Amino acid sequence: MPEAKLYPDVVTFAFWIRRSSVKKLAERFQAEENCIHLGRGVAFHIAPSNVAVNYAYSFAAGFMTGNANVVRIPSKDFPQISIINKAVNMALEQYPACRPYICFVRYGREQRINDALSSIADTRIVWGGDRTIAELRKSPLGPRASEITFADRYSLAVIDSDAYLAADNQPRIADDFYNDTYLTDQNACTSPRLVVWCGSQTARAKERFWSLLLERVQKKYEFQSIQGVNKLTNAFLAAAAQEGTHMISCGDNRLVRISLDHLFEGLMDFRGDSGYFYEYDCQDICDLKAVCDDTHCQTVSYIGDPQMFLPLLKTGVRGIDRIVPVGKTMDFDLIWDGYNLYERLTRTIHIS
């Protein structure tokens, strides 16, 4: 589909569901002996309204694990949705027996519809944050039904300055970081909001990293005035809440950097989007506990050696469900947000 190539998030989804990838997933999750796994039944998916392709990943997880899927797609009419749905319809022409397993719906916030769909659900999968979860929980589930919730989360990136400056693919790293953040206006829970620098060459690394990123942003990112206003508001709120917080001028509102002299609990209450980044120079990786010892902390992306996180993890932080290289934050997997979706979306018949 030539039109799909215009949207990197669609291309990424298509790559994830290619035949060889699905076969690898099957090998990973179907190796259990003396057990048969079947779909739980009807899976009711509620996708976030501000991320174009999330609904497709959720649907694919439910479909591959053998469920009939009712998927509430985003209310916003993203072009990516039309492309993906067109591909699904093309596939259903070849495999009409799959039609009863796929139902995409769009509706507002009507509780009566939530009530009806929740009443027939064997599993309810809720994306979109704490408020959405609270709203859906007003609609009761059946006594044997289960629920998987993806609450408000935030993520960060940790960059070893020495490893970054030694890398020969710095332009590619800028592209990868752009995809992690700007493609979704930083609205994805996986998008880094805080960039932590470590190593002995942080000043040089910062100058190189941000200049390469800004080049890409100026060429590719569409910016609206309200985004600049929101960034300034968040910066003032953060500065009022904590001393030692100041804005670094980048000469372009598409990229806003807020320098911190230390990390503090509650920092992510002031997180922004559309190219809004907090920055911190780290001497001890355990300093990150101030933002990672929180169940809302989801993904840590990195440049360098992932072993550097072991001392932090050994402190027993309550957050961090994923540690991935920069550029891989949105790579979906059936283990997500600390959930094993293969287990949660199936029932197990044990044969002894």
Side-chain angles (χ1 to χ4, degrees):
M1 299 174 67
E3 62 267 39
K5 297 177 182 178
L6 297 173
Y7 301 97
D9 48 359
V10 176
V11 173
T12 300
F13 173 67
F15 185 73
W16 182 69
I17 59 166
R18 72 195 188 282
R19 183 182 297 272
S20 61
S21 175
V22 173
K23 285 185 175 180
K24 287 179 181 177
L25 287 172
E27 291 170 1
R28 280 175 58 196
F29 291 104
Q30 293 182 332
E32 194 173 359
E33 294 183 0
N34 300 321
C35 289
I36 296 174
H37 294 271
L38 299 177
R40 291 184 58 84
V42 175
F44 174 30
H45 307 252
I46 299 90
S49 59
N50 59 355
V51 181
V53 303
N54 178 277
Y55 83 97
Y57 286 104
S58 190
F59 153 69
F63 184 71
M64 287 192 293
T65 49
N67 294 279
N69 300 273
V70 180
V71 186
R72 190 177 82 177
I73 61 177
S75 54
K76 184 176 178 181
D77 195 15
F78 292 102
Q80 295 96 314
I81 294 174
S82 297
I83 294 170
I84 292 171
N85 290 358
K86 178 182 176 182
V88 171
N89 280 321
M90 290 168 62
L92 288 175
E93 290 177 4
Q94 292 182 268
Y95 303 96
C98 292
R99 285 191 180 276
Y101 293 85
I102 304 171
C103 179
F104 293 167
V105 298
R106 176 179 275 149
Y107 62 94
R109 299 182 180 275
E110 294 94 333
Q111 185 173 341
R112 61 185 181 84
I113 302 178
N114 290 335
D115 290 347
L117 296 177
S118 296
S119 71
I120 64 170
D122 297 287
T123 302
R124 183 168 63 192
I125 305 100
V126 186
W127 306 76
D130 297 357
R131 288 185 179 180
T132 302
I133 293 168
E135 189 66 28
L136 264 295
R137 284 182 170 167
K138 295 177 183 177
S139 300
L141 292 165
R144 282 274 294 168
S146 63
E147 184 177 54
I148 306 170
T149 57
F150 297 96
D152 288 328
R153 310 298 299 273
Y154 58 78
S155 299
L156 59 145
V158 177
I159 301 177
D160 183 324
S161 59
D162 302 301
Y164 172 72
L165 291 172
D168 57 7
N169 62 337
Q170 292 171 10
R172 174 60 187 272
I173 291 172
D175 289 329
D176 288 342
F177 191 80
Y178 179 93
N179 293 339
D180 282 348
T181 53
Y182 282 89
L183 278 186
T184 60
D185 293 326
Q186 276 181 292
N187 285 319
C189 57
T190 59
S191 295
R193 313 292 185 123
L194 165 68
V195 179
V196 177
W197 295 92
C198 56
S200 61
Q201 305 179 75
T202 55
R204 281 183 56 209
K206 287 179 187 179
E207 183 178 358
R208 178 67 173 162
F209 177 84
W210 293 117
S211 63
L212 286 173
L213 179 65
L214 185 57
E215 288 177 10
R216 280 140 185 83
V217 171
Q218 290 174 333
K219 289 178 182 178
K220 299 194 289 185
Y221 189 63
E222 295 184 8
F223 184 76
Q224 299 179 18
S225 298
I226 186 63
Q227 293 172 311
V229 173
N230 290 340
K231 290 178 181 182
L232 191 61
T233 301
N234 280 317
F236 286 164
L237 290 171
Q242 192 67 41
E243 293 184 6
T245 301
H246 65 275
M247 186 180 295
I248 301 172
S249 175
C250 297
D252 193 318
N253 276 340
R254 292 177 179 86
L255 173 59
V256 170
R257 297 163 55 194
I258 308 297
S259 175
L260 306 168
D261 65 3
H262 69 283
L263 299 177
F264 59 93
E265 293 182 15
L267 169 64
M268 287 301 156
D269 293 340
F270 309 104
R271 60 187 182 269
D273 53 35
S274 307
Y276 180 92
F277 301 97
Y278 290 106
E279 259 185 297
Y280 174 68
D281 288 357
C282 177
Q283 303 301 320
D284 182 348
I285 198 68
C286 290
D287 290 347
L288 272 61
K289 191 170 183 178
V291 291
C292 295
D293 194 25
D294 186 319
T295 57
H296 288 92
C297 180
Q298 187 213 48
T299 299
V300 177
S301 57
Y302 67 89
I303 296 171
D305 184 354
Q307 297 297 313
M308 65 179 164
F309 296 108
L310 288 180
L312 174 64
L313 298 176
K314 289 178 179 179
T315 67
V317 288
R318 294 179 299 160
I320 306 180
D321 292 322
R322 305 169 66 232
I323 298 175
V324 300
V326 166
K328 300 292 185 181
T329 64
M330 291 195 290
D331 286 7
F332 189 69
D333 190 83
L334 291 184
I335 296 177
W336 190 261
D337 255 20
Y339 294 118
N340 184 330
L341 296 179
Y342 180 75
E343 289 184 353
R344 298 296 299 269
L345 290 168
T346 61
R347 61 187 182 91
T348 304
I349 302 173
H350 183 253
I351 303 172
S352 61

